[in-house]
Amino acid sequence: KPVFDLETTELIKMIKKLNDGFDLPGKELKGKTNFLIGCTAHPNAPDLKKQKETLDLRFESGASFVKTQICYEIGQIKTFIDSLGNLAKKTIIGITPLKSTKMATFMNEKIFGVTVPPEIMDRLEKSKDQRQEGLNIAKEIVDELRKTNIGGIHVMAVGQENELSEIIRFLTGQTIGCK
């Protein structure tokens, strides 16, 4: 059963208080915590202006970085990055190399905020090696992101954790391909 006692911004404020050495009601603690406070964003959000306003509020409340949901549309990612203004350099973009059309379909149907566009689905379907094509797509996105002012990239190797080091080498241009 989900519990929603605190909205995200309120949770950020609470953690900031703990970091400052106070409990939620404001009583001084014997020590301080040292949490790195982050928040999330969605490059595919329908209202990027409203999302930026929310992010600004979360940063004012104590957040120090943004982590995004996965996005496969480089044009949309660039629009999102532009909407962030000075927060772009504090933003980590989520990337997941697709292993197959089955995985892409699952992402489209089951993962909130993730859209694998038809042209990427088509590329995967037509490929003789869907896993390699998924890596190629991810590398194209990473190559474009490197031209922006974002803070970083979070590679989420869903179901490919054992190959993560090879995937990162491939995405950064340090190998010719993955096995």
Side-chain angles (χ1 to χ4, degrees):
K1 174 180 161 180
V3 177
F4 299 103
D5 291 343
L6 291 174
E7 186 271 330
T8 302
T9 303
E10 295 305 312
L11 179 61
I12 290 168
K13 288 177 183 178
M14 183 188 80
I15 296 169
K16 173 83 168 76
K17 275 185 158 185
L18 292 171
N19 280 352
D20 291 340
F22 296 92
D23 66 11
L24 195 54
K27 181 181 174 188
E28 191 167 359
L29 301 170
K30 292 180 182 178
K32 298 178 180 183
T33 58
N34 189 24
F35 293 110
L36 180 61
I37 306 169
C39 57
T40 60
H42 297 279
N44 288 322
D47 188 344
L48 293 176
K49 182 180 178 189
K50 180 165 178 27
Q51 180 170 240
K52 171 64 165 67
E53 291 168 1
T54 300
L55 290 173
D56 285 338
L57 179 60
R58 291 177 178 170
F59 270 75
E60 289 168 17
S61 298
S64 58
F65 71 95
V66 178
K67 167 68 181 73
T68 74
Q69 181 59 283
I70 303 159
C71 188
Y72 293 100
E73 300 165 281
I74 194 63
Q76 182 61 33
I77 295 171
K78 287 180 176 180
T79 299
F80 167 72
I81 291 168
D82 289 343
S83 78
L84 294 173
N86 63 346
L87 294 183
K89 64 184 171 225
K90 298 178 181 182
T91 300
I92 302 166
I93 304 289
I95 300 291
T96 297
L98 296 165
K99 297 187 298 185
S100 63
T101 54
K102 181 179 176 183
M103 181 181 187
T105 300
F106 179 85
M107 295 282 213
N108 272 339
E109 294 175 357
K110 304 290 184 185
I111 308 298
F112 174 78
V114 176
T115 302
V116 180
E119 57 272 14
I120 288 180
M121 294 291 288
D122 191 50
R123 281 180 62 181
L124 288 170
E125 287 171 5
K126 291 179 178 176
S127 175
K128 292 181 182 182
D129 185 344
Q130 291 186 359
R131 182 174 181 276
Q132 186 61 51
E133 188 63 22
L135 287 167
N136 293 340
I137 292 164
K139 182 162 181 6
E140 291 165 15
I141 295 169
V142 167
D143 289 347
E144 287 298 315
L145 289 175
R146 290 174 132 185
K147 299 173 189 174
T148 70
N149 64 337
I150 61 161
I153 299 168
H154 176 197
V155 178
M156 296 174 268
V158 179
Q160 305 170 80
E161 295 83 1
N162 292 335
E163 294 93 26
L164 183 57
S165 61
E166 288 180 45
I167 290 170
I168 290 177
R169 280 194 294 275
F170 178 77
L171 295 178
T172 58
Q174 296 178 18
T175 64
I176 294 170
C178 291
K179 293 179 181 183

